[in-house]
Amino acid sequence: MRRDLRLLPVAGATWGAALLGVFAPEAAPWVAGGGVLGAVIAMVLGSVRSSASGSGLSAVVLSAAAAASLAVCVALPARDAADAWDGRFVEATCEITSSASVGRDGRLWVDAELTGIGSPGDVRPASAPVRLGLDPGEGYDLGAAVRVRGEAASTDPGERGALVVFSSSAAIERPAAGIFAVAAGARHEFIARSARLPEPGAGLLPGLAVGDTRAVGAELNDDMRISGLSHLTAVSGANCAIVVGAAFWLVALCGGGRRLRVVLAALTLAGFVVLVTPEPSVVRAAVMAGAAMLSVLLGRPSAGAGLLALCASAILIVDPWLAATPGFALSVAASGALILLAPRLARGMARWMPQPLALAIGVPLSAQLVCAPIIALFAEQQSLVGVVANMIADPAAPIATVVGLLACLAAPLPFLADVLAASAWLPAAWIAATAEVSAELPLAQVPLVPGIGSSLLVAVLSAAAALLLVRPKERVALMRPVRWARAAAAVVIVVAVALGGAQVLLRGPLATATSPDGWAIAACDIGQGDALVIRSAGSMALIDTGPDPDLLRDCLRSLGVERVDLLVLTHFDLDHVGGVDAVQGRVDRVLHGPSDAPDDLRLLQRLAAGGAHLVDAASGLEGILGDASWRVLWPQRGSSAFPAGNDSSVVVEFGGGGVPRSLFLGDLSAESQRMLQRTAHLGSDMTVVKVAHHGSADQDAGLYEALRPAVAVISVGEGNDYGHPRAEILAILQAVGAHVLRTDQRGRILIGMKDGAVEVWTERSVGGPG
């Protein structure tokens, strides 16, 4: 069936204009004016020609681009006013516009619309989208009005929120009301009911049914990501399609015609959107599903690509900043792949396998091939088991979603709601088990440096795979360019497989061949977190574990670290202890900071059960690592001046035995840094300093001036939401003459000593030799 692709240029122009506007706002007025002028000229030319179809399409394309640019121009003043509060402590009033999710930093993150912002006690009216990082709590539902105080940080170009506020205090001024309050109550009751069911599956069920992922643990979330199943826990086009499909089927079962089915399905979809919170991502998914319904209503399924393009254009004109969000790009790409590529892949693979199996593989494979280059722009890994995992898990998703929704709606009848929730638990547990098993498979994912280069590489591989799998028409297959293209695709795949095999060897038997022999300090590239290794005479110390066990495991393997003699857990934030599973059962001694939180105590008990000796670290504690010595400088023993957390991070100094004199500052703030300097009597001959808190702005210049390190290491994630490292600390380090090494720029960093001089090896070079 021939597809109607005439609207694809409209979507492309709208998307391009929106991207240009959000990344280069100064160009938006010119694009808007040029688009309007071009559209007028195209219509005039079309009116004097006998055939106006080409001019009409050109006018529509230019008008759409102008509309997206005009939307950027309208939104910019309010966004710029909000951005002016960057780096300041603010008080803001906001209305929540999204559901809440738990970040890796333990905060509750929501999108909101500013209603006012200013210095504490002086809030003035404002209107701009923002992102709030809140302490976990109840009541942060869509439609609720909140008042927050905290540090504001500007966002990177292209981000939908104009400002991020890291809240230190928050209060709900007006809870959600009306239909939003009813929906929130139903969600909360369903989440509580699901929590009474056993794991795995209990935490996943609310995500599958109503899009609430707060109960999904960090480990299961990682497994879902590695196995390519994360889309099941976010409200996406798939969820909307499941709901719409179920409504279609029920109405058809009752004898309803096509028009009635579409109308009732639309009403069902609207109710589903309200239930799961009508935030932008949900509305986007619903619009995509609505496009499919409209194509059915018109009796033109072949118009699906055109309707997809039309809906994408409309969404971008309403909110141009969605053009730069991964979720929007993945949603459109996956929908387009299912419409345009999946049928062709299925026909090509049907040459070697039964048609139903070819279709079952073609659907997830088409989405994987088209979405993979987009994922490579921002993700540090690519899943290699996604197609198989989706084939196994996807049949359970509709059951969990529909039955879970029925359980949510049946809340007034507790017995029926319990039965339905228990019935929905079984497919949810199946999906969770699929994620856990597939994530543990060898080569379940491959690491990639996110960016345009990786995206182009993955795009070439995806295109090569599609060329080989799609079966061209017989007359097309005989054309010389087509034969050359398929031959080139085969070469690309063979080379990729060979390089992949080499990578397996380098990450396995030959892992240590990638590291030089003379290193004494290693900063692992584990994203936004800390994981640093110190080596002396064959003994190993590890300071923090980063957020991800897999990334830490890879780093330790490449360094030849089989066992950790000393593990220092500076404090218990997830970006410092989330990777503990990588060293579970391989640790002799643990120095840890103060904490009374139940989760922290359970983590320590796990380490102890694996044979580790636990030591509560405090200043004055000393020890030996191989031929080197170490001593704890902070926190003060018995002091209650600083609460557990960043300001009570364990600060430890290493030196001797081939290890440069080094100081590791955890996440200390400026206030605790000043106290450290007064109590520890630090000298000025420090060779290496691990900069506190990933290079945040909350630093004491006096401490770094006193230390005057030769090398300053900043362990930080590329493109992190905090803007780390901040310009303030970089200026301080430059002023004291430190050579700054950042893991987001350099990758893994190795430091050693040779003939009294510091040697540095890095994975990547930035502005010169590494």
Side-chain angles (χ1 to χ4, degrees), residues 104 185 539 567 658 674:
R104 285 191 173 273
S539 296
L567 172 61
R674 286 189 286 270

Side-chain angles (χ1 to χ4, degrees), residues 179-202:
I179 192 170
F180 295 137
V182 174
R187 285 196 310 273
H188 293 325
E189 189 166 344
F190 176 67
I191 293 168
R193 178 169 279 110
S194 301
R196 296 195 291 266
L197 297 168
E199 294 290 358

Side-chain angles (χ1 to χ4, degrees), residues 455-496:
S455 178
L456 291 175
L457 173 63
V458 175
V460 169
L461 293 173
S462 296
L467 273 173
L468 292 177
L469 292 175
V470 170
R471 182 181 183 181
K473 295 180 180 178
E474 188 172 344
R475 62 179 179 82
V476 174
L478 295 175
M479 297 172 63
R480 183 173 297 177
V482 174
R483 295 203 307 270
W484 286 355
R486 289 172 64 84
V491 171
V492 167
I493 296 300
V494 170
V495 171

